[in-house]
Amino acid sequence: MGPRREVYERERNEIQQQYAQHNLDKDMAADYRSGLATDPKEHVRKLKTQNRGLLLLLVLIAVIAAVAFAIS
């Protein structure tokens, strides 16, 4: 009498889980390295651009509110 099918299924599932975990670790390490590769000056430039955009949006909302208040 040979091993039952469940034993093979369990071993195969464990191996697949180990490969999935290995690939996940490898992908996370690659993403971390690519995140570190960003130039600090480029990051600051991006943040300043975002801040200007938010400030422009805030000014636009204030102007729309002032116009709406003036009309009513």
Side-chain angles (χ1 to χ4, degrees):
M1 180 174 200
R4 291 180 301 186
R5 184 176 183 186
E6 295 87 27
V7 174
Y8 289 121
E9 290 292 326
R10 191 174 341 119
E11 287 178 4
R12 187 171 58 179
N13 288 339
E14 289 176 9
I15 291 171
Q16 288 174 349
Q17 288 175 357
Q18 288 175 358
Y19 277 126
Q21 184 64 41
H22 173 72
N23 288 337
L24 176 64
D25 292 342
K26 190 170 60 172
D27 291 343
M28 289 177 66
D31 287 344
Y32 178 75
R33 282 191 305 275
S34 69
L36 291 178
T38 308
D39 183 28
K41 290 181 181 180
E42 181 65 31
H43 183 66
V44 169
R45 191 174 319 137
K46 182 179 177 183
L47 290 175
K48 284 184 179 181
T49 303
Q50 289 175 351
N51 286 342
R52 287 187 200 118
L54 289 173
L55 184 60
L56 180 62
L57 179 66
L58 181 63
V59 169
L60 182 64
I61 291 172
V63 167
I64 290 173
V67 169
F69 182 72
I71 291 175
S72 63

